[in-house]
């Protein structure tokens, strides 16, 4: 097993097949853009139904958010059911619960069908608090479980050796290895005439009865249906997704503890939040995965501090010593807390979108794949349309809409007056800073070989100022979460163009 300290445990313990880049013009029935859990599961389901499918991924399969998750496969999406009942009623809350439970069943069935091992285990899931002011919220969540008939309990303690005032437990949840799941489906798709391409970034779409996905480095795919499963939709202006998605990063460290893992998956609602689950390494030893420290992308303290905070917590609470892995991920939230799954807009009948899974993309991605497959194959929603992106979410999430607009407006106005402190000569290897030249901000990174990379720090999506992420050595945009390598190439959108090089 690799001991790369700055790596995802899932990526280091799986081997997805590699695929070539597409630069030609081609056509198909369904083009799926995005090689994470939502995209690959959609491609798998449609291939099984006999559709001709092309799936493209801008980087490598599973190397977006799916490879950097905690991989809890659960219907316990933080505290959600009390909120869903208040905003939408019991029917919607119940549908959301059953959709997630069906996602768990789907993984179990796929494991059998493909004769694979996804290291799946059934676990109870807990949301807990040690903060007096959050106790009532936990109690209200349990009351919501009781109304909906969700099996579980209200607890005064949890099996972990941490201090707790109140917790709500949901039974029959699961955890698994997400990339073993993707690997098995990918092998099925490619051996059943599905075509998969990596290093192939979609840049835009020309709409029509047959839509054409234009590729960044040349070439295109014309298809009857196009599924946008790129986490943040790369084609985001139709449907105003840039105004309807909030973005946050969070962090995970993994290592061993002398304690015996008591079973279960855990998440706290306190600030900073903490998430815990286990996995087995190749020697059969238990690895503890500790997550949390969420914050808006591109904002806050030096990013490396988030990893140190998690390690310190693991040392003090769980006697953890050796941390083999650390990684981070990005999540998008809708205005009203429900996913956006379905037609991109009311008017774009053959473009579909899957996004806003909050931090629950394992069940959310599978729900999206099932829903979009049903819309394409049968023109029917499996979930009574509760995830339809054309719903009136701005009414239910007016506070979040206002907050997003203020955040973006502030960044657009004040991002550009950021103080510059570093000069190139002051930078040590591995450090970055900004200078101002002719009124423009230039981001400078001196890499470990001493090579200096200079970029215009204006985000190519809508013009906000990107900020340095010292933990990942990337430029991150606080407005909608686009991320770029230190040398300016786009990693994840909504931006599709690289940062401009600067002199
Ligand atoms: Fe939208 Fe940067 S991601 S402006």
């Amino acid at each position: 097993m690799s001991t790369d300290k700055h790596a995802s445990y899932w990526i280091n313990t799986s081997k997805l097949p590699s695929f070539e880049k597409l630069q030609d013009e081609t056509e198909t029935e369904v083009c799926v853009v995005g090689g994470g859990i939502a995209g690959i599961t959609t491609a798998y389901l449609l291939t099984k139904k006999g559709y001709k499918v092309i799936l493209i991924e801008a980087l490598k399969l599973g190397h977006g958010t799916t490879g950097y998750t905690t991989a809890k496969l659960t219907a316990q999406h933080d505290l959600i059911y009390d909120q869903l009942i208040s905003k939408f009623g019991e029917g919607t809350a119940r549908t959301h619960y059953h959709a997630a439970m069906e996602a768990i069943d789907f993984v179990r069935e796929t494991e059998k069908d493909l004769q694979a091992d996804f290291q799946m285990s059934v676990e109870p899931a807990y949301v807990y608090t040690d903060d007096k002011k959050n106790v009532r919220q936990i109690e209200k969540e349990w009351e919501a479980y009781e109304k909906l008939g969700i099996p579980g309990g209200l607890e005064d303690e949890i099996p972990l050796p941490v201090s707790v005032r109140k917790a709500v437990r949901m039974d029959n949840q699961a955890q698994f290895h997400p990339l073993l799941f993707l690997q098995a489906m990918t092998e099925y798709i490619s051996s059943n005439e599905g075509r998969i391409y990596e290093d192939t970034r979609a840049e835009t779409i020309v709409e029509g009865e047959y839509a054409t996905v234009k590729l960044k480095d040349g070439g295109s795919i014309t298809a009857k249906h196009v599924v946008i499963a790129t986490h943040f939709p790369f084609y985001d202006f139709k449907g105003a997704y840039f105004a309807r998605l909030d973005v946050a990063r969070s962090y995970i460290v993994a290592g061993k503890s002398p304690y015996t893992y008591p079973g279960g998956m855990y998440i706290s609602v306190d600030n900073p939040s903490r998430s815990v689950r286990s996995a087995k390494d190749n020697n059969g030893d238990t690895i503890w995965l500790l997550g949390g420290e969420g914050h808006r992308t591109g904002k806050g303290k030096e990013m490396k501090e988030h990893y140190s905070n998690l390690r310190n917590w693991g040392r003090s609470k769980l006697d953890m010593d050796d941390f083999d892995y650390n990684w981070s991920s990005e999540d998008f939230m809708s205005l009203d807390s429900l996913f956006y799954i379905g037609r991109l807009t009311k008017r774009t009948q053959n473009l579909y979108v899957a996004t806003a899974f909050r931090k629950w993309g394992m069940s959310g991605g599978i729900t999206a794949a099932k829903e979009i497959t049903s819309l394409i194959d049968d023109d029917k929603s499996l979930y009574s349309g509760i995830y339809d992106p054309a719903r009136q979410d701005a009414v239910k999430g007016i506070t979040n809409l206002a907050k997003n607009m203020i955040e973006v407006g502030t960044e657009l106005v004040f991002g550009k007056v950021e103080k510059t402190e570093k000069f190139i000569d002051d930078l040590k290897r591995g450090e970055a800073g900004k200078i101002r030249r002719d009124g423009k901000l230039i981001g400078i990174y001196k890499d470990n070989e001493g090579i200096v990379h200079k970029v215009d720090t204006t985000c190519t999506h809508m013009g906000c100022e990107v900020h340095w992420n010292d933990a990942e050595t990337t430029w991150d945009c606080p407005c909608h979460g686009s991320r770029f390598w230190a040398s300016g190439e786009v990693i994840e959108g909504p931006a599709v163009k690289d940062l401009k090089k600067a002199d």
Side-chain angles (χ1 to χ4, degrees):
M1 184 184 296
S2 162
T3 51
D4 179 359
K5 297 276 179 193
H6 186 63
S8 151
Y9 173 76
W10 311 122
I11 289 177
N12 275 25
T13 54
S14 59
K15 200 163 177 12
L16 270 85
S18 296
F19 297 91
E20 61 185 22
K21 179 179 179 126
L22 175 68
Q23 284 179 294
D24 301 330
E25 289 181 3
T26 186
E27 49 187 55
T28 186
E29 274 180 295
V30 184
C31 171
V32 178
V33 186
I37 191 164
I40 292 178
T41 312
T42 307
Y44 168 70
L45 287 172
L46 288 166
T47 304
K48 269 180 86 174
K49 284 185 174 291
Y51 284 83
K52 287 195 175 66
V53 177
I54 292 181
L55 180 141
I56 58 170
E57 161 57 43
L59 304 169
K60 277 189 64 57
L61 298 181
H63 278 55
T65 306
T66 308
Y68 295 89
T69 164
T70 52
K72 293 176 179 172
L73 183 57
T74 168
Q76 190 187 57
H77 298 166
D78 240 320
L79 298 179
I80 181 94
Y81 292 100
D82 175 56
Q83 193 197 131
L84 289 183
I85 291 173
S86 322
K87 277 187 190 165
F88 302 96
E90 283 185 27
T92 295
R94 197 169 281 114
T95 302
H96 184 73
Y97 169 74
H98 286 297
M101 293 306 290
E102 283 170 21
I104 299 174
D105 291 342
F106 176 81
V107 174
R108 197 176 285 121
E109 283 156 20
T110 307
E111 197 174 40
K112 258 196 225 139
D113 289 352
L114 300 181
Q115 297 177 352
D117 179 5
F118 304 149
Q119 298 176 2
M120 188 176 180
S121 65
V122 175
E123 310 278 345
Y126 296 83
V127 184
Y128 71 90
T129 183
D130 193 31
D131 187 336
K132 211 163 57 182
K133 71 174 188 308
N134 293 331
V135 166
R136 184 62 199 130
Q137 272 182 282
I138 298 273
E139 289 169 345
K140 282 165 75 180
E141 189 71 356
W142 169 241
E143 288 159 20
Y145 284 20
E146 286 189 303
K147 276 185 203 153
L148 300 172
I150 298 176
L154 185 65
E155 312 277 1
D156 293 323
E157 46 190 41
I158 59 174
L160 281 185
V162 297
S163 164
V164 164
R165 281 172 192 266
K166 208 52 99 180
V168 60
R169 189 189 78 243
M170 187 182 282
D171 294 333
N172 306 322
Q173 305 306 295
Q175 58 185 21
F176 72 145
H177 189 314
L179 295 194
L180 297 181
F181 176 56
L182 296 200
Q183 187 177 325
M185 289 192 294
T186 302
E187 283 161 4
Y188 178 92
I189 296 164
S190 57
S191 53
N192 284 276
E193 296 182 22
R195 291 155 64 192
I196 300 178
Y197 299 95
E198 293 180 309
D199 192 20
T200 302
R201 187 175 290 279
E203 192 166 67
T204 191
I205 296 176
V206 180
E207 292 178 33
E209 191 185 342
Y210 284 79
T212 299
V213 177
K214 297 273 190 189
L215 305 177
K216 181 169 177 243
D217 296 330
S220 64
I221 304 157
T222 299
K224 179 86 183 113
H225 304 277
V226 175
V227 180
I228 302 166
T230 51
H231 204 203
F232 195 115
F234 75 96
Y235 190 64
D236 65 321
F237 288 93
K238 280 270 173 82
Y241 287 88
F242 57 85
R244 298 163 64 195
L245 287 165
D246 199 4
V247 56
R249 284 200 82 68
S250 53
Y251 301 80
I252 301 173
V253 298
K256 299 200 175 95
S257 162
Y259 287 102
T260 301
Y261 195 84
M265 303 178 291
Y266 307 87
I267 190 161
S268 77
V269 287
D270 302 337
N271 194 5
S273 70
R274 293 289 178 257
S275 156
V276 182
R277 66 155 281 188
S278 65
K280 289 270 184 229
D281 73 9
N282 292 348
N283 302 321
D285 294 334
T286 302
I287 305 264
W288 294 56
L289 273 57
L290 314 183
E293 295 279 314
H295 64 88
R296 191 178 175 95
T297 299
K299 290 273 194 175
K301 53 186 147 187
E302 297 206 341
M303 307 301 161
K304 279 182 183 164
E305 262 186 70
H306 296 292
Y307 288 127
S308 338
N309 293 344
L310 285 172
R311 284 191 202 103
N312 290 340
W313 189 77
R315 284 187 190 106
S316 69
K317 304 284 180 195
L318 305 165
D319 279 348
M320 290 174 74
D321 190 14
D322 198 15
F323 292 90
D324 290 328
Y325 300 95
N326 62 246
W327 66 94
S328 70
S329 72
E330 189 151 277
D331 293 293
F332 295 104
M333 280 67 70
S334 69
L335 294 176
D336 61 9
S337 304
L338 284 171
F339 312 143
Y340 295 135
I341 303 169
R343 294 196 162 89
L344 186 74
T345 69
K346 269 191 188 143
R347 293 212 174 87
T348 49
Q349 285 300 301
N350 57 351
L351 307 184
Y352 307 82
V353 71
T355 187
F357 302 132
R358 298 167 71 227
K359 293 178 194 307
W360 308 102
M362 298 299 99
S363 53
I366 294 167
T367 298
K370 288 168 58 112
E371 176 76 335
I372 290 172
T373 299
S374 176
L375 290 172
I376 289 175
D377 192 49
D378 207 15
D379 198 20
K380 280 204 183 94
S381 166
L382 295 176
Y383 308 110
S384 317
I386 67 167
Y387 303 121
D388 185 351
R391 67 184 181 268
Q392 294 292 308
D393 60 325
V395 177
K396 297 270 187 334
I398 190 74
T399 320
N400 292 338
L401 179 65
K403 203 179 92 205
N404 281 356
M405 289 172 77
I406 290 167
E407 285 281 358
V408 173
T410 308
E411 281 300 324
L412 279 166
V413 174
F414 295 107
K416 300 293 171 198
V417 294
E418 189 177 312
K419 253 178 46 196
T420 55
E421 286 161 3
K422 298 271 184 191
F423 294 93
I424 296 179
D425 291 345
D426 298 338
L427 291 175
K428 297 195 189 84
R429 290 181 180 208
E431 266 192 358
K434 287 185 183 177
I435 57 168
R436 194 179 291 280
R437 284 286 175 279
D438 302 326
K440 268 196 173 173
L441 285 169
I442 294 175
I444 301 171
Y445 170 62
K446 195 181 273 184
D447 70 21
N448 291 334
E449 272 76 55
I451 298 166
V452 173
H453 303 270
K454 289 171 276 182
V455 295
D456 179 338
T457 49
T458 305
C459 178
T460 54
H461 177 230
M462 287 173 69
C464 289
E465 184 64 20
V466 295
H467 299 301
W468 183 243
N469 176 339
D470 62 346
E472 317 297 331
T473 58
T474 55
W475 294 105
D476 295 355
C477 183
C479 285
H480 313 103
S482 292
R483 298 180 60 235
F484 305 85
W485 294 120
S487 44
E489 292 82 15
V490 66
I491 305 169
E492 56 187 309
V496 289
K497 291 193 191 304
D498 302 337
L499 294 176
K500 279 193 202 134
K501 303 276 180 209
D503 292 329

